[in-house]
Amino acid sequence: MVNCGLHLVIQTSSLPEKNKVEFKLHKETPSFPGRLLQHDLERNYSSRQGDHINLVSSSMPSFPILQRSSEEKILYSDRLTLERQKLTVCPIIDGEEHLRLLNFQHNFITRIQNISNLQRLIFLDLYDNQIEEISGLSTLRSLRVLLLGKNRIKKISNLENLKSLDVLDLHGNQISKIENVSHLCDLRVLNLARNLLSHVDNLNGLDSLTELNLRHNQITFVRDVDNLPCLQRLFLSFNNISTFESVCCLADSTSLSDITFDGNPIAQESWYKHTILQNMMQLRQLDMKRITEEERRMASVIAKKEEEKKRESQKQSLLKEKKRLTINNVARKWDLQQHRVTSIAANQDRKDSDSPSQDPCQVDGSTISAFPEETGSLDSALSNALQGLSVTDTHLVEVDGDTLSLYGSGALESLDRNWSVQTAGMVTTVSFTFIEFDEIVQVLPKLKIKFPNSLHLKFKETNLVMLQQFNALAQLRRIDQLTIDPQGNPVVSFTLWKYYVLFRLSHFSMQKINGTEVTQNDMIMAERLFGILAHVASSELPQYRLISILGDARKKQFRYLLETKGKKPGVVSEENNDSKRLVGENTNRATLNYTTRDFYNEKLEEIKEKKKFCKMYIEDLVKEATEINMKNEALQKLWPQMFIELVRDAVIEIRNKSSYMKLCLQQITDQK
């Protein structure tokens, strides 16, 4: 029994075929039949009323007229039951303005009409009919109970004048939205079970609501329930609620004492019960079962563990976000650095070709990161922490399992740390990102000492542009795997780069390159491609230069090899094999040594200058030879005429012999 403003007292009268019903209205301590408080209000009125009712034809053929005898009116003055009368319309009821209870359930009525004159009506039952629209009730201002369950209603409407409504039953209809009920400030029971609701909202204004039944709908989330100050019972069984976040507003309700979630996906979760109890401490019943103190205590313990787990998760998320921001900073710095290098090269090309260059690192004024990261979405609990997170670090060092990751050139300084023996021994993979390879080469000796078990090297955005740079890796202790990311390493575009690596680092017996297994055929092909190159390089070098390249560790080996040239082939071969196993790379490969890019560029500049000088010298020689040839050709053309003139002048001079002799003597005298 729930206080709803009505009290029905049913007694057996002296007439065995009838029931005597006393109908009273109490304002102070009202109550209501228990059948209205069943969660779905899907009930059958088993007590058939024995009213003697006659329906006669009226002047309007479509509406019958209700007639009752005087005795019936006296016996049932306040109530009228027309249950299971196969009615398709509401009959015309005259002379019954004093009615307070009207029952039309289990008929075929399609429209509410002909009851506007019953202005004292308090209880109207139209359960199990075929009504499609709520209408015809605007004059029933005293109505307290309206039962429209199991009809065909699609929309809540036309209840504006029913401000005294206490119970509204609309279960078993086709309603898809809660609306037009905010004015029902006295409503205490609302039943919307077995409808088509997908969400719960628009409940503001129902300040007296104590029971809300929403079972058997399609609800996925709930809102506004925390704004109902008197709500005590909420039934959400058999819906589509899957997370507590979709009903988190319930935690803010201070009046809820009874709630059901059974039949929802959320009820199948392991965390379901303790999460509900922890967030709704005022509950007395959950899923129609009373909550014990032991259950509350267990929920509190589990909630504390969940909170600790959540804090740890937030901490990890914060560290992950900090890592992402740091890597983005490193990537930005790398982009700017590469932009400067590109600009220098572009300016040099522009001087040579006078062609404009385009900045590959800028698009619409924004810097493109060479290291894309998935930012993802962070939950709201981290938003405050992340707002104050401003990372300006330009390098990052991270040890994750057996992998040491270094981002930015500043990370190379971490190799000088005092690493614990356990951590250093655990690292088998070292990853370099956003670091110039020439800078990495400088710390390879430290890497060999600090992390003796490192077998796998990864390079991403390290500017590996030439095959000769791989020569630097020969100084390491051992390498089983090598990964060269195509991003930021142009050398990967060379067809034969893998074979060169296998040839140059053959003493490591590498197992994988870029994740691909190294086969015996690969080793044979590498030897065929680069073996002659190494032999030529070593044979062209003088002995003193070869010894300086090999270094102290291989000088003894080299001298030993020279001393054993006169020995038997079999003995020399066996000793060479032993020496190779002890020392590592052989002499031919050792001549393919590493030079820094700056030194290489200096050599290129020197070669370029020599080439320019040679070109100018040759051009001068060609020009001089051309001029000589042109003079020779001109002389050949002029010589016949010159010869004739010479002969003619000689004949003319000696024609007068005495004069010629005097002239010659005079010249001799003048010379003295």
Side-chain angles (χ1 to χ4, degrees):
M1 300 292 291
V2 176
N3 296 334
C4 292
L6 293 177
H7 184 202
L8 294 180
V9 180
I10 302 175
Q11 297 178 345
T12 304
S13 68
S14 57
L15 299 174
E17 71 278 6
K18 295 183 180 180
N19 293 330
K20 182 177 181 180
V21 179
E22 180 183 358
F23 181 86
K24 296 180 180 179
L25 176 63
H26 301 281
K27 293 185 179 179
E28 291 78 19
T29 57
S31 60
F32 191 70
R35 61 183 178 87
L36 288 179
L37 302 182
Q38 298 173 10
H39 299 135
D40 287 334
L41 291 178
E42 298 173 358
R43 67 276 180 271
N44 243 333
Y45 283 36
S46 58
S47 57
R48 292 290 304 274
Q49 305 302 328
D51 300 342
H52 289 261
I53 300 170
N54 294 322
L55 297 173
V56 299
S57 300
S58 66
S59 58
M60 300 177 63
S62 58
F63 297 105
I65 299 176
L66 175 69
Q67 291 183 352
R68 292 200 298 174
S69 63
S70 300
E71 182 182 356
E72 291 165 350
K73 288 183 179 181
I74 294 173
L75 287 174
Y76 310 108
S77 59
D78 291 336
R79 64 179 300 279
L80 176 61
T81 298
L82 295 174
E83 179 182 344
R84 304 184 190 274
Q85 298 297 319
K86 299 182 180 180
L87 296 173
T88 58
V89 296
C90 295
I92 298 173
I93 304 174
D94 287 331
E96 301 279 358
E97 288 75 8
H98 54 280
L99 281 179
R100 295 192 178 186
L101 187 150
L102 181 57
N103 180 3
F104 280 117
Q105 66 172 293
H106 300 299
N107 282 290
F108 304 99
I109 298 171
T110 59
R111 185 178 180 184
I112 305 173
Q113 52 193 347
N114 298 327
I115 61 172
S116 59
N117 59 320
L118 306 178
Q119 297 185 11
R120 295 186 181 181
L121 198 64
I122 294 177
F123 188 109
L124 177 59
D125 190 350
L126 286 160
Y127 172 77
D128 190 18
N129 278 278
Q130 299 179 11
I131 298 169
E132 297 182 356
E133 181 184 8
I134 303 175
S135 61
L137 304 175
S138 58
T139 61
L140 307 181
R141 298 179 182 275
S142 298
L143 195 64
R144 300 291 300 278
V145 179
L146 177 59
L147 308 181
L148 288 169
K150 202 173 179 182
N151 278 279
R152 300 177 181 178
I153 299 169
K154 297 181 180 179
K155 182 178 181 181
I156 304 175
S157 60
N158 300 319
L159 299 176
E160 289 78 12
N161 294 332
L162 306 184
K163 296 183 179 180
S164 299
L165 207 58
D166 192 81
V167 176
L168 177 60
D169 176 18
L170 291 169
H171 85 274
N173 283 282
Q174 302 171 23
I175 299 169
S176 60
K177 182 180 180 182
I178 301 176
E179 56 186 339
N180 302 320
V181 294
S182 59
H183 62 285
L184 302 176
C185 56
D186 290 334
L187 189 68
R188 293 197 297 132
V189 177
L190 176 59
N191 187 356
L192 290 169
R194 296 190 184 276
N195 277 281
L196 304 176
L197 299 174
S198 60
H199 56 276
V200 179
D201 53 8
N202 297 329
L203 295 173
N204 293 325
L206 301 179
D207 296 339
S208 300
L209 195 66
T210 59
E211 180 176 316
L212 178 58
N213 190 347
L214 298 168
R215 299 173 75 234
H216 291 284
N217 276 280
Q218 302 167 14
I219 297 169
T220 57
F221 68 90
V222 177
R223 285 198 297 251
D224 296 344
V225 173
D226 53 319
N227 296 327
L228 303 177
C230 297
L231 187 65
Q232 299 177 12
R233 292 172 295 280
L234 176 61
F235 306 107
L236 288 165
S237 305
F238 301 100
N239 279 283
N240 292 328
I241 299 170
S242 57
T243 64
F244 182 76
E245 286 72 20
S246 60
V247 293
C248 61
C249 67
L250 301 178
D252 297 327
S253 175
T254 58
S255 58
L256 267 177
S257 61
D258 191 353
I259 194 169
T260 65
F261 285 110
D262 54 304
N264 283 274
I266 190 176
Q268 305 300 320
E269 301 290 345
S270 58
W271 46 262
Y272 160 65
K273 192 167 186 178
H274 71 259
T275 300
I276 297 296
L277 295 182
Q278 179 64 23
N279 288 277
M280 304 177 69
M281 298 295 293
Q282 77 282 7
L283 282 184
R284 293 199 301 267
Q285 286 195 145
L286 176 61
D287 296 334
M288 307 303 292
K289 296 179 181 178
R290 189 166 188 82
I291 300 169
T292 64
E293 290 302 321
E294 178 63 20
E295 289 175 330
R296 292 187 189 278
R297 190 187 65 80
M298 289 300 298
S300 179
V301 172
I302 296 174
K304 287 181 180 178
K305 292 182 179 179
E306 292 291 335
E307 186 64 26
E308 291 176 1
K309 207 179 285 185
K310 185 178 180 181
R311 282 198 297 268
E312 182 63 26
S313 176
Q314 290 179 354
K315 180 181 177 182
Q316 294 300 323
S317 298
L318 192 62
L319 292 175
K320 184 178 180 181
E321 180 65 7
K322 183 177 179 180
K323 173 187 173 182
R324 187 187 69 80
L325 292 175
T326 302
I327 293 176
N328 282 345
N329 287 340
V330 177
R332 242 186 329 268
K333 182 180 178 182
W334 175 263
D335 285 340
L336 293 174
Q337 180 181 350
Q338 297 309 305
H339 169 51
R340 286 195 294 270
V341 173
T342 305
S343 298
I344 294 172
N347 291 334
Q348 186 64 35
D349 293 340
R350 193 180 298 113
K351 291 178 182 178
D352 297 336
S353 61
D354 292 330
S355 61
S357 64
Q358 184 174 357
D359 182 3
C361 295
Q362 296 287 333
V363 177
D364 297 332
S366 61
T367 303
I368 299 177
S369 173
F371 192 87
E373 285 281 332
E374 294 184 2
T375 57
S377 58
L378 299 171
D379 57 32
S380 57
L382 290 175
S383 59
N384 293 333
L386 293 180
Q387 284 176 359
L389 183 62
S390 177
V391 179
T392 58
D393 297 337
T394 56
H395 67 272
L396 176 67
V397 180
E398 180 185 33
V399 177
D400 185 9
D402 62 350
T403 301
L404 171 65
S405 299
L406 305 175
Y407 299 88
S409 59
L412 297 177
E413 299 176 2
S414 66
L415 297 178
D416 294 328
R417 294 180 187 171
N418 293 324
W419 295 86
S420 66
V421 177
Q422 182 179 2
T423 302
M426 186 172 56
V427 172
T428 60
T429 301
V430 182
S431 174
F432 301 94
T433 309
F434 301 125
I435 309 174
E436 286 284 350
F437 184 81
D438 291 337
E439 297 181 23
I440 297 174
V441 172
Q442 299 175 13
V443 300
L444 288 180
K446 298 178 183 178
L447 185 68
K448 181 170 60 174
I449 297 172
K450 293 285 185 177
F451 303 98
N453 296 328
S454 57
L455 304 176
H456 184 188
L457 297 184
K458 294 182 178 181
F459 298 92
K460 180 177 181 180
E461 291 285 3
T462 56
N463 272 341
L464 271 166
V465 296
M466 296 178 291
L467 293 177
Q468 68 94 15
Q469 289 176 291
F470 290 114
N471 299 339
L473 302 179
Q475 61 182 296
L476 292 174
R477 188 185 302 259
R478 179 184 172 187
I479 303 177
D480 284 352
Q481 295 187 52
L482 185 65
T483 301
I484 310 297
D485 197 297
Q487 186 174 337
N489 295 306
V491 72
V492 178
S493 61
F494 297 167
T495 306
L496 302 178
W497 76 272
K498 289 185 180 180
Y499 292 112
Y500 183 80
V501 170
L502 290 176
F503 173 78
R504 183 62 186 85
L505 306 178
S506 61
H507 57 291
F508 289 147
S509 300
M510 295 185 64
Q511 299 176 3
K512 288 183 179 181
I513 296 182
N514 278 14
T516 304
E517 294 283 347
V518 176
T519 64
Q520 188 64 32
N521 291 335
D522 293 333
M523 299 299 298
I524 295 172
M525 181 62 70
E527 185 67 32
R528 287 178 179 176
L529 290 172
F530 296 101
I532 297 176
L533 172 66
H535 176 72
V536 171
S538 61
S539 61
E540 291 296 324
L541 290 175
Q543 181 175 341
Y544 74 90
R545 176 61 179 155
L546 189 59
I547 292 176
S548 65
I549 290 175
L550 293 177
D552 295 335
R554 298 183 179 87
K555 286 179 182 178
K556 293 182 180 180
Q557 178 198 16
F558 179 71
R559 291 195 181 97
Y560 178 78
L561 292 174
L562 293 177
E563 292 171 359
T564 56
K565 284 185 177 180
K567 296 185 178 181
K568 294 181 181 180
V571 176
V572 173
S573 176
E574 184 179 353
E575 291 177 351
N576 283 346
N577 290 336
D578 293 340
S579 178
K580 181 178 179 180
R581 283 194 297 269
L582 292 174
V583 180
E585 56 186 332
N586 61 28
T587 306
N588 290 348
R589 287 170 172 79
T591 57
L592 301 175
N593 61 333
Y594 167 78
T595 56
T596 64
R597 194 186 309 177
D598 292 339
F599 180 77
Y600 181 77
N601 291 335
E602 290 176 3
K603 286 290 184 183
L604 289 179
E605 288 296 326
E606 183 180 347
I607 293 172
K608 188 175 181 181
E609 291 296 327
K610 289 180 179 179
K611 189 175 181 181
K612 184 178 180 181
F613 172 78
C614 292
K615 183 179 179 182
M616 292 175 62
Y617 183 73
I618 295 297
E619 287 177 351
D620 291 341
L621 290 177
V622 170
K623 184 178 180 180
E624 185 178 353
T626 302
E627 291 176 352
I628 293 172
N629 184 58
M630 291 175 63
K631 291 178 180 179
N632 184 42
E633 290 179 354
L635 179 61
Q636 293 297 327
K637 292 179 181 179
L638 296 174
W639 176 247
Q641 182 64 31
M642 292 174 63
F643 182 76
I644 293 172
E645 292 178 355
L646 289 172
V647 172
R648 185 190 65 186
D649 293 343
V651 171
I652 292 173
E653 287 179 355
I654 66 175
R655 183 173 57 180
N656 189 344
K657 187 175 180 182
S658 59
S659 298
Y660 178 72
M661 292 179 65
K662 287 181 180 181
L663 180 62
C664 290
L665 290 172
Q666 184 64 37
Q667 290 178 349
I668 293 172
T669 303
D670 294 340
Q671 289 178 356
K672 291 182 179 180

